[in-house]
Amino acid sequence: MLNPYKTCLLIDDNYIDNFVTRRILESSNFAEQIIVKQSPAEAISSLSDGSIKPDVIFLDIRMPLMNGFEFLQEYDLLSIDKENIKIFMLSSSLDPTDMKESLGNKYITQFIHKPLTTKALQEICQ
């Protein structure tokens, strides 16, 4: 896989998960640039001011202060071009309600169970 995407944004509050996911993304040459935000609110701010223009977002569900679904509500209000941004819900949640809500959201491309794998990345790029 040779950088199919320019910029990948990873939004997850868990440092260890971010470390592991980033290493997998880097070793797979998934994107030219990988940006990690531990705060969904900070990610919204960076998207809003244009300092981050991702092609792909990996979004966790369970986060304090603002969860993944609340992020999506804020994301919906942003005045940015969302047409070319793919969002993958990346979560360890086994709650069928989370999966159903994810797949019912117009911005979610796919629900992926943690940990992210190179196989999952290959499927994304096909």
Side-chain angles (χ1 to χ4, degrees), residues 6-126:
K6 186 172 178 352
T7 304
C8 175
L9 174 59
L10 174 59
I11 305 169
D12 193 329
D13 66 307
N14 187 299
Y15 175 82
I16 300 295
D17 286 347
N18 285 334
F19 178 81
V20 170
T21 302
R22 182 182 196 122
R23 295 289 291 185
I24 291 166
L25 291 167
E26 288 173 344
S27 68
S28 299
N29 291 316
F30 183 75
E32 292 175 27
Q33 180 180 30
I34 300 164
I35 299 168
V36 178
K37 295 289 183 185
Q38 287 187 265
S39 160
E42 186 181 336
I44 287 290
S45 177
S46 296
L47 289 165
S48 178
D49 69 17
S51 61
I52 298 176
K53 296 179 181 178
D55 306 291
V56 175
I57 298 173
F58 287 99
L59 176 64
D60 188 25
I61 295 175
R62 307 268 186 232
M63 296 179 281
L65 304 178
M66 180 187 289
N67 68 35
F69 298 116
E70 292 166 333
F71 168 87
L72 291 168
Q73 290 171 350
E74 292 296 316
Y75 178 82
D76 188 50
L77 301 175
L78 293 177
S79 298
I80 62 170
D81 178 18
K82 300 175 189 109
E83 198 168 308
N84 296 316
I85 301 174
K86 291 182 179 181
I87 302 179
F88 296 93
M89 195 62 91
L90 181 62
S91 179
S92 56
S93 174
L94 298 175
D95 184 343
T97 307
D98 286 342
M99 292 170 62
K100 185 178 178 181
E101 189 173 346
S102 294
L103 298 176
N105 186 289
K106 65 182 177 182
Y107 296 116
I108 300 297
T109 302
Q110 184 180 342
F111 185 99
I112 302 171
H113 285 284
K114 286 182 183 176
L116 185 64
T117 63
T118 52
K119 183 180 179 196
L121 288 176
Q122 289 169 347
E123 290 172 5
I124 287 170
C125 294
Q126 290 179 353

